[in-house]
Amino acid sequence: MGLATIRGWPHRTPDTGHRTPDEGPVRGAGNGATSHNATRSRERTASRTPVGAAKKQAAPIFGLAPEWLLHDGKPLATATVLSHPEQLARLEAACPEAAATAVLAGDPCYDRLLAALPHRDRFRRALGVAEGQRLIVVNSTWSGGSLFGDGEEGDLLPSLLPRLAAELPADEYRTAAVLHPNIWHGHGPGQVRAWLDRARRAGLVLVPPLEGWRQALIAADCVLGDHGSVTFYAAAIGRPVLLGAFPEGALDPESPVAALGRTAPRLRPYDGLRAQLDRAVEEHDPGRYRALAAQVSSDPGRSAELLRRVFHGILGLPEPADRPASLVPLPLPAYEPAERTAPLRVLTRLLGAGPPEIAVVRRAAPAEEEPEEGDIGWYAHTAVHEDTRDPSRLRIADVILRYGSADDPRVGPPAAWTADVLARHPGCGLAAYVTGPGRCVVRARGGEPLRLSAAPGAYGRPDLCDPGAYASALHAWLAAGKSVSEAAASGMTVTTGTVQHRVSVEAAY
């Protein structure tokens, strides 16, 4: 999928691909990535044509043009590694002097993705994706026309993320953001995190710039992206793709990534986001991007073998006969459950009283929002994390939440914390201390501490739905005049979207 040069590497700063106005436009060469290094560095931008240019000339193709490959008319590299024959054909046309150095060696990044596909469920659990949830991965490359850029089509991401938090029910969707490393480098990690702070407090997972993005793609149900290589890789492994930005003029129209722009559906940014994302998932044809996937690698699964052969050949060394070439498998990311510190507007509805069944819909939306499910019987309350950015919201919270270890000496044990919270916040009806996947300790005003535990799934795997939803369900049950003993007798059924969670209610001590 990418291009790499070996020996005689030209020095490139992190803004590689951006040209000054007097240098003319630059167009993307391939699918959008230099796949033989850790970063995705071949997404391209196009600058304006020089003022006063008498005739519009063909834009040089980034990575394949003479200015990147030649010095004094001779190839810089001993070997120019290409991932697919389509790149070779364009190299021969764009810079025939370097064609003799070309080597087809597949794509190690793609090979690692393919090898890790069987671990999709593990990656989803690592990201805290519960049964029935959809993981939406938002991806931006680093040009002005990208989803996070400042061009005519770009700069959508800052406005999209708050809308995703407001429109997507927290217990039915999980969102993650994958930003190109040069976004992090160019603006600085502190600035990037500050820009996305509101979305992170609403539950967004911000994937580190160099590692973890491949696992997020494998785990995704839909990728909302642009013309970057990560979005292309998502399509290549069969994930539904929705394009939020796509600057056709910045790309070689013959490149595979340009073909993605002609194939994938486009986001309508001013229409409802949830309906568009659901449609992208539900109407996705697994074979839609098969032709594009075929252009990622010349030899899927063999890049390690082919690259080692190239390296040893350049060094004049024989390959080890007793050790097959291999790539490092994608590691299993650390468990990162959802922990929303933004206030949550919670809608509940009692679906049944014997045994208790309560529907819960939670959103990180303004407190002024009214019930909107459309049916009589939905009631609203506010759930607020104790570490909310705006402590004044705790005064109006119906449910106050905390996440942590039960034996944390700073705030625990849960029985002590819940009693303290209710004493300090007289308007709060229930305090909930989430101690782990599928379980929490709660105390209603005037009551004793209770343990809520969701029944495990197949083979004993814990329910990964945020236990805060179970706390809100119990609060709604008690607010309707029902008793703890009724809930404890048979347990509760908490419904989030299309999933039912069986939750036991018992004394905590």
Side-chain angles (χ1 to χ4, degrees), residues 114-335:
L114 294 179
L117 288 177
H119 302 309
R120 171 176 163 83
D121 288 344
R122 295 181 186 178
F123 297 152
R124 289 173 67 82
R125 290 194 295 272
L127 289 167
V129 181
E131 179 186 359
Q133 278 189 326
R134 284 179 172 168
L135 173 62
I136 309 301
V137 173
V138 183
N139 166 240
S140 178
T141 187
W142 55 290
S143 73
S146 69
L147 200 58
F148 201 63
D150 56 4
E152 292 181 2
E153 294 190 64
D155 209 20
L156 287 172
L157 194 60
S159 62
L160 284 177
L161 290 177
R163 289 181 55 203
L164 287 172
E167 294 185 32
L168 303 183
D171 302 303
E172 299 171 47
Y173 295 84
R174 189 88 162 99
T175 56
V178 174
L179 305 181
H180 193 283
N182 283 348
I183 294 176
W184 291 82
H185 181 91
H187 300 291
Q191 181 63 76
V192 171
R193 292 181 183 278
W195 279 332
L196 302 185
D197 179 67
R198 180 182 174 188
R200 292 171 64 211
R201 287 186 281 118
L204 176 78
V205 178
L206 187 52
V207 179
L210 297 182
E211 297 296 336
W213 64 270
R214 300 170 185 84
Q215 294 90 326
L217 288 192
I218 293 171
D221 291 290
C222 183
V223 174
L224 173 56
D226 53 23
H227 62 297
S229 59
V230 171
T231 304
F232 192 93
Y233 276 129
I237 62 172
R239 297 295 170 262
V241 166
L242 190 61
L243 296 176
F246 203 87
E248 286 92 345
L251 300 165
D252 178 358
E254 301 301 318
S255 68
V257 75
L260 174 64
R262 297 188 292 267
T263 308
R266 301 294 181 96
L267 179 76
R268 299 185 302 277
Y270 303 108
D271 292 349
L273 301 179
R274 181 179 182 181
Q276 294 185 72
L277 291 166
D278 286 347
R279 189 179 305 115
V281 174
E282 294 161 7
E283 297 181 359
H284 177 62
D285 176 4
R288 171 177 291 185
Y289 306 118
R290 189 172 293 124
L292 298 181
Q295 297 187 66
V296 175
S297 172
S298 58
D299 291 280
R302 294 187 61 222
S303 63
E305 172 189 346
L306 297 173
L307 286 169
R308 188 173 75 171
R309 185 177 304 164
V310 173
F311 299 151
H312 280 75
I314 292 173
L315 294 171
L317 298 174
E319 294 187 61
D322 58 342
R323 292 194 298 276
S326 62
L327 299 171
V328 176
L330 294 182
L332 184 62
Y335 177 54

Side-chain angles (χ1 to χ4, degrees), residues 430 438-442 450-454 467 470-472 474 492 503-506:
L430 183 141
R439 62 186 186 273
C440 62
V441 174
V442 305
L450 303 168
R451 180 176 290 105
L452 307 185
S453 303
Y470 312 147
S472 281
L474 181 63
M492 301 186 300
V503 181
S504 64
V505 182
E506 57 188 353

